[in-house]
Amino acid sequence: MNISTYTVKPKLPPPLKPLEEIARNLWLSWNFDAIQLFIRLDYDAWLQAEQSPVRTLAIASHDRLARMSKDDSYLAAMKEVYERFLKYKKGETWYRGSKKEVIAYFSMEYGIDVSLPIYSGGLGILSGDHMKTSSDMGLPLVGIGLLYRQGYFKQALNADGFQQERYPENDWYNMPVERKTDRSGAALKISVEMAGSVVVAQIWEVKVGRASLYLLDTNIDENHGDLRNITASLYGGDKETRIRQEILLGVGGIRALRLLGINPAVTHMNEGHSAFLGLERVREVMQERGFTFDEAKEALWPTNIFTTHTPVPAGNERFDIGLMEKYLRSWTDILGISWHDFLALGRVNPNDDHESFCMTVLALKMSAYANGVARLHGVVSRDMWKGLWPGLPLEEVPIGHVTNGVHPRTWVSRGMLELLDRYFGPRFEDKPTDLSIWNRMDRISDEELWRTHERRRERMVAFARERIKQYVIRTGASERQIQRAEDALSPYALTLAFARRFATYKRGNLLLRDPERLLRLVRDNERPVQLIFAGKAHPMDMPGKELIREIIHFAEKYDVTNRIVFIENYDITVAHYLTSGADVWLNTPRRPLEASGTSGMKAAMNGVLNCSILDGWWDEAYTSEVGWAIGMGEHYEDTNLQDEVESKALYDLLERDIVPLFYQRGRDGLPREWIRRMKNSMRSIGQSMSCHRMLMDYYSQFYAPALKNYRRLAKDSYADARSLAAYFAKLNAGWNGIRIVSVESNAKPVMQRGDSLTVVAQIDLGSLSPNDLLVELYHGTVSNQNTTIDHARRSEMRETSHEGTLFRYQVRVECIDTGMQGHTVRILPSHKSLVHPYRPGLIRWA
């Protein structure tokens, strides 16, 4: 069938024209007054459009639009919102540097608004908040992703509590995306070769305040059915679909930016999915400048940033060699390297022919800057990937951390935001990087804060009741069950929320281990406790689905369905209600398997207190003044023992501390001590876990240095890169010829603090020269087993004389620490253009 296509847009009366611009910019996702315009325009259309402003404009009747275009009250509200929107776009920002050199941020998913369903969970929500915050701060950052025809699935539970998935098709022409076209109106398209086929993708733009997100879409006529399905669904399909998606994201993403006239001076890979971008950037430089692979790699290595989110090896994307050969063998000719060397880019051990190709390893090897997403996750990541830098002490493995954050104006509820705006002043909105504003929490009266929170709990309960009622009606419930659903939960009871992805390591059933203790809590009529669960299990994760079913069955078995409930289809909307309406946010992962987590941050900024295992972000944010810790960060070999101990610790916290504190009321009915902790939590977490703090960290640690590297390299036509490649060629050729012949010192068996120590090393440099190398004295406290030096200091040793290839190095240091001390000598690369000297395999110890 030959179908001619064209696009039809809603025709708005002239007075309502600003609505179209507002609807197509996701600035509205963190400005409720803008959302209110569409709710007020046509509430029935808003519900039918599933909270999509663009779709609402399409559905609203001509009569309704005509009537609202003459409503002076509505027009005044629209004018005020539109003026704020224009002021935001043109206003001063934190970043005032050049916008010519762009930071390209690559992510597989983006959770910006419920009207753009191209996200599945935490990674996507983080990416969305990253985009919003870069807009607030005016950073020269663009996002790159894929436009999924189906997005992630919608969850529905059957009568037995078993998760079922539904994959609705997205109608992009009625969503906040615009197809990019050339001057003639033709769609802009890029192409990528994959396994002998040419995949074509068109480009769509999502406006996020001042920032832009570009999404690639293969569902077009130029591709046959199989290739059209590359962007069919997020995390869907088999490994072959995944490798195609990741080639499209990395290689196609760079090509899309070039086609749009955007120069990605710096790239930020959010997880390893986009790591193939490193190869495309190398190909570009080789083609443009006639560089070798090594020269091009050195030119781009200082401008690549990689963020890992996965604390377990199995969670990192790997492809078997057969699949790599099918899709990437042709790249050996493009890059001028052997197949062995190409595969080595994705292997911890380059010489292990049985090792699969790991996208995280590729990203780490192509990036000068790498980080985990919390302090503890940085430690875990350094330990996980230490094999890439054999011989390097764990604390020096070049993977740092930037703890995740959340975008406050997105996640703080409307009522709470109005309260904060009133007491914090205009600076809270106009200068979001001024985090000291949260110190004004004490200006807010206990009464106002508590009443605001109670209203949010009431709204959450009303929302939950409606969702539960829909579920029981859909599953064929009796009239009595429907009535119970309408009366589920209490707007006054202590409410615990557990809402997140239902993976087994998150232990959504930890509270169910001792039914007797739990039932005592939920059946206590004087001090009742209620639990709300929400979350999706991956479609292939049967144990995760079983966890959800276990919760449903538990509530039914013990007849507590009015006190323990599960809310279907956890998404941004559900998250807004739960993170602002619960009293306690519960998190029970197996430490250290939670890389960071962000839902608890959102809850904390709404005055919800966290009760969590000391894992992810909570490991560094917890104090007894802002919430509760389950356990003390212990490590267990026996997971059953861990579950038993930590579940009992959780029951103890609830029985002895949390429940009594919540119901400890003064004559005025206020839980004063609870409110004090709410204020402490909002003040502390508002400052430390704001996404604006996160972006300032990324800028100071990575973005600014990487942009500086780019300017330096580009300024001299990448001469430094060629010099560095030649240097490493020389270093690799001569490295095995280095020999530390002797190390001597004037140390006595017992030294006094403040004494000086002189160390002399005789080193045979072979074909290398002193200018090629950094020779260091590595000294500090020796471990009890005499095997390592802990908290080491590094002091550079200087060449004092030489005879042939034998060089004498010397350094004098002061004895600072007491106890058993020791030292050794090591050699590292040294070049003025190195971001850091830690290159795999290039370290020599005495």
Side-chain angles (χ1 to χ4, degrees):
M1 185 186 298
N2 186 18
I3 301 176
S4 299
T5 63
Y6 44 87
T7 304
V8 177
K9 292 189 174 183
K11 185 177 182 180
L12 297 178
L16 299 183
K17 281 293 183 186
L19 288 179
E20 186 160 10
E21 188 179 351
I22 295 169
R24 293 191 171 277
N25 192 311
L26 291 181
W27 170 85
L28 60 76
S29 67
W30 69 94
N31 287 272
F32 190 80
D33 287 347
I35 292 288
Q36 192 70 33
L37 290 177
F38 298 92
I39 296 173
R40 188 175 165 188
L41 181 71
D42 190 330
Y43 185 63
D44 290 336
W46 173 256
L47 294 179
Q48 188 182 339
E50 297 182 323
Q51 302 177 53
S52 168
V54 175
R55 184 74 177 149
T56 299
L57 294 180
I59 294 173
S61 69
H62 290 298
D63 289 345
R64 180 67 180 172
L65 293 173
R67 193 157 59 249
M68 296 306 285
S69 71
K70 297 171 184 173
D71 185 324
D72 57 351
S73 170
Y74 183 81
L75 294 176
M78 184 189 69
K79 182 174 183 287
E80 183 182 350
V81 169
Y82 189 56
E83 286 174 352
R84 274 182 50 226
F85 172 60
L86 296 178
K87 179 186 174 187
Y88 173 85
K89 289 208 299 181
K90 297 174 183 176
E92 280 193 358
T93 60
W94 176 85
Y95 178 82
R96 298 184 184 179
S98 168
K99 299 288 180 82
K100 291 180 182 177
E101 290 119 8
V102 168
I103 303 152
Y105 178 82
F106 285 70
S107 185
M108 202 72 164
E109 52 175 301
Y110 290 86
I112 303 173
D113 186 66
V114 70
S115 66
L116 187 68
I118 56 168
Y119 63 95
S120 70
L123 180 72
I125 299 298
L126 175 76
S127 302
D129 282 7
H130 200 110
M131 292 299 302
K132 294 174 185 179
T133 308
S134 69
S135 166
D136 285 347
M137 295 171 62
L139 290 176
L141 183 144
V142 298
I144 306 293
L146 303 181
L147 189 71
Y148 303 101
R149 196 170 74 239
Q150 296 177 331
Y152 206 51
F153 69 91
K154 287 188 180 290
Q155 177 197 54
L157 305 184
N158 65 15
D160 191 42
F162 191 75
Q163 173 181 295
Q164 297 173 318
E165 296 87 31
R166 185 168 60 88
Y167 294 88
E169 296 272 327
N170 289 319
D171 175 10
W172 299 122
Y173 295 92
N174 281 306
M175 289 186 172
V177 294
E178 287 281 354
R179 191 165 51 168
K180 298 299 290 181
T181 59
D182 61 19
R183 289 180 180 176
S184 69
L188 291 177
K189 297 172 184 175
I190 56 96
S191 61
V192 181
E193 190 273 335
M194 295 189 200
S197 298
V198 175
V199 177
V200 181
Q202 61 184 354
I203 307 166
W204 298 75
E205 181 181 13
V206 180
K207 294 186 186 303
V208 188
R210 302 179 179 97
S212 287
L213 165 63
Y214 298 103
L215 303 171
L216 301 180
D217 168 26
T218 63
N219 185 30
I220 54 177
D221 293 339
E222 287 89 334
N223 298 320
H224 60 71
D226 197 27
L227 300 182
R228 290 181 77 143
N229 288 332
I230 291 175
T231 55
S233 62
L234 171 61
Y235 303 138
D238 55 13
K239 277 287 188 181
E240 189 151 9
T241 302
R242 289 296 288 271
I243 199 170
R244 287 172 164 182
Q245 287 184 337
E246 295 181 12
I247 293 170
L248 179 64
L249 177 63
V251 178
I254 293 292
R255 293 180 185 178
L257 290 173
R258 294 294 183 202
L259 185 60
L260 292 165
I262 296 169
N263 174 33
V266 168
T267 62
H268 183 177
M269 296 169 252
N270 191 42
E271 197 52 285
H273 306 122
S274 59
F276 290 131
L277 71 82
L279 305 180
E280 174 63 8
R281 296 189 79 200
V282 165
R283 183 200 66 78
E284 284 185 335
V285 172
M286 290 178 68
Q287 184 176 313
E288 290 168 8
R289 299 182 176 275
F291 280 17
T292 65
F293 172 80
D294 288 335
E295 290 169 340
K297 183 170 175 281
E298 294 302 338
L300 296 167
W301 181 77
T303 66
N304 287 335
I305 300 155
F306 169 58
T307 297
T308 176
H309 291 260
T310 312
V312 289
N316 292 272
E317 188 81 84
R318 289 182 178 273
F319 296 115
D320 66 52
I321 302 308
L323 205 55
M324 289 295 297
E325 184 146 17
K326 179 178 179 180
Y327 281 91
L328 291 139
R329 185 67 186 245
S330 60
W331 277 80
T332 57
D333 294 332
I334 295 169
L335 301 177
I337 59 176
S338 70
W339 183 234
H340 174 272
D341 288 348
F342 183 92
L343 292 177
L345 293 170
R347 286 171 165 166
V348 175
N349 181 353
N351 298 313
D352 181 359
D353 291 335
H354 299 290
E355 186 180 339
S356 57
F357 190 94
C358 180
M359 296 296 283
T360 301
V361 173
L362 174 62
L364 286 167
K365 287 188 176 182
M366 298 299 287
S367 304
Y369 305 97
N371 69 283
V373 288
R375 183 176 62 195
L376 177 61
H377 183 232
V379 174
V380 171
S381 298
R382 287 190 287 278
D383 187 53
M384 190 189 310
W385 300 111
K386 62 188 176 187
L388 281 170
W389 295 273
L392 192 64
L394 189 62
E395 64 273 14
E396 291 184 273
V397 169
I399 302 175
H401 81 272
V402 173
T403 302
N404 283 345
V406 299
H407 187 254
R409 299 198 80 83
T410 293
W411 295 106
V412 176
S413 72
R414 184 191 183 193
M416 189 64 76
L417 201 55
E418 288 173 351
L419 183 67
L420 298 182
D421 279 336
R422 195 158 72 246
Y423 283 94
F424 287 6
R427 210 165 71 223
F428 185 46
E429 180 175 9
D430 298 340
K431 296 193 179 298
T433 53
D434 182 3
L435 301 174
S436 66
I437 203 76
W438 288 91
N439 289 326
R440 295 183 176 182
M441 275 307 303
D442 288 332
R443 294 184 178 187
I444 302 172
S445 72
D446 289 359
E447 290 81 0
E448 282 189 283
L449 183 61
W450 186 245
R451 299 304 172 219
T452 302
H453 176 65
E454 286 196 310
R455 283 193 292 273
R456 288 308 307 177
R457 194 190 314 114
E458 290 165 4
R459 292 197 65 185
M460 176 191 68
V461 168
F463 170 79
R465 285 173 175 172
E466 183 59 32
R467 282 293 185 95
I468 298 162
K469 181 182 174 183
Q470 291 172 10
Y471 164 68
V472 297
I473 290 173
R474 194 186 72 246
T475 53
S478 65
E479 190 62 36
R480 178 177 171 274
Q481 287 173 308
I482 294 171
Q483 288 174 356
R484 289 197 69 180
E486 291 174 339
D487 198 35
L489 303 173
S490 163
Y492 312 108
L494 170 61
T495 306
L496 278 60
F498 181 97
R500 53 192 29 86
R501 183 164 55 90
F502 261 74
T504 51
Y505 81 86
K506 293 179 182 283
R507 299 186 295 176
N509 60 348
L510 191 67
L511 253 182
L512 311 185
R513 280 186 72 88
D514 190 336
E516 187 179 334
R517 291 182 80 174
L518 178 57
L519 292 171
R520 264 204 312 269
L521 290 166
V522 300
R523 287 173 174 166
D524 186 335
N525 290 326
E526 291 186 6
R527 300 191 305 182
V529 175
Q530 57 195 14
L531 281 75
I532 301 180
F533 292 90
K536 297 176 179 177
H538 188 278
M540 298 292 107
D541 184 4
M542 292 305 154
K545 291 183 177 183
E546 196 56 41
L547 283 180
I548 296 172
R549 188 168 166 272
E550 184 182 345
I551 292 166
I552 302 292
H553 280 226
F554 183 95
E556 291 173 348
K557 177 182 177 180
Y558 294 104
D559 195 27
V560 286
T561 54
N562 63 331
R563 285 280 182 261
I564 300 177
V565 304
F566 190 96
I567 308 296
E568 291 176 308
N569 202 39
Y570 185 47
D571 63 3
I572 287 175
T573 299
V574 178
H576 273 297
Y577 280 100
L578 298 190
T579 56
S580 63
D583 298 300
V584 175
W585 198 258
L586 192 60
N587 191 25
T588 53
R590 290 192 198 282
R591 176 186 164 107
L593 301 184
E594 183 84 273
S596 174
T598 57
S599 60
M601 302 173 188
K602 299 160 193 162
M605 290 184 192
N606 279 288
V608 179
L609 301 182
N610 277 266
C611 177
S612 174
I613 298 291
L614 289 171
D615 198 8
W617 75 280
W618 191 238
D619 179 69
E620 63 196 83
Y622 165 73
T623 72
S624 60
E625 292 295 300
V626 300
W628 296 274
I630 304 166
M632 299 174 65
E634 300 89 346
H635 176 75
Y636 294 84
E637 296 293 338
D638 184 338
T639 56
N640 282 326
L641 175 64
Q642 180 179 13
D643 291 350
E644 186 66 20
V645 171
E646 292 181 342
S647 66
K648 285 181 176 175
L650 177 53
Y651 291 127
D652 288 344
L653 278 174
L654 287 167
E655 293 165 350
R656 300 175 187 176
D657 197 347
I658 296 174
V659 175
L661 191 69
F662 181 82
Y663 286 106
Q664 180 185 317
R665 307 294 171 103
R667 290 182 180 179
D668 53 9
L670 296 179
R672 295 281 182 179
E673 178 57 25
W674 188 278
I675 295 168
R676 187 182 70 81
R677 292 199 191 191
M678 286 173 66
K679 287 183 177 180
N680 288 339
S681 176
M682 293 174 76
R683 180 190 305 109
S684 173
I685 307 306
Q687 290 179 330
S688 63
M689 298 301 157
S690 163
C691 213
H692 298 88
R693 184 274 310 154
M694 181 187 87
L695 260 292
M696 286 189 284
D697 285 351
Y698 271 116
Y699 186 79
S700 62
Q701 293 184 40
F702 304 138
Y703 292 167
L707 286 168
K708 184 178 179 183
N709 294 339
Y710 170 80
R711 293 183 198 112
R712 172 177 53 80
L713 286 160
K715 187 177 180 180
D716 65 7
S717 299
Y718 295 94
D720 261 9
R722 286 199 130 145
S723 167
L724 203 52
Y727 164 74
F728 276 113
K730 175 185 177 185
L731 204 62
N732 286 319
W735 191 259
N736 289 334
I738 299 173
R739 192 164 57 92
I740 300 175
V741 178
S742 65
V743 178
E744 297 174 349
S745 75
N746 63 349
K748 302 172 188 174
V750 178
M751 306 279 285
Q752 301 291 320
R753 177 185 276 173
D755 286 354
S756 290
L757 178 72
T758 300
V759 180
V760 175
Q762 299 287 345
I763 302 175
D764 187 343
L765 298 187
S767 62
L768 300 174
S769 72
N771 291 336
D772 297 327
L773 303 166
L774 172 65
V775 179
E776 291 183 329
L777 183 72
Y778 189 83
H779 54 109
T781 303
V782 178
S783 66
N784 290 333
Q785 291 81 23
N786 278 6
T787 55
T788 59
I789 295 175
D790 298 328
H791 309 297
R793 292 184 172 88
R794 302 184 299 278
S795 301
E796 185 175 351
M797 302 184 75
R798 299 292 183 183
E799 175 219 345
T800 58
S801 63
H802 74 279
E803 195 172 312
T805 62
L806 191 65
F807 288 77
R808 183 179 189 272
Y809 282 82
Q810 181 174 319
V811 70
R812 185 171 140 186
V813 295
E814 185 179 335
C815 295
I816 296 173
D817 299 320
T818 60
M820 180 67 75
Q821 301 293 300
H823 61 256
T824 187
V825 170
R826 71 177 186 180
I827 303 172
L828 292 164
S830 176
H831 190 283
K832 65 182 176 64
S833 298
L834 277 176
V835 173
H836 60 72
Y838 308 122
R839 289 295 181 101
L842 295 180
I843 184 169
R844 179 63 49 82
W845 293 90

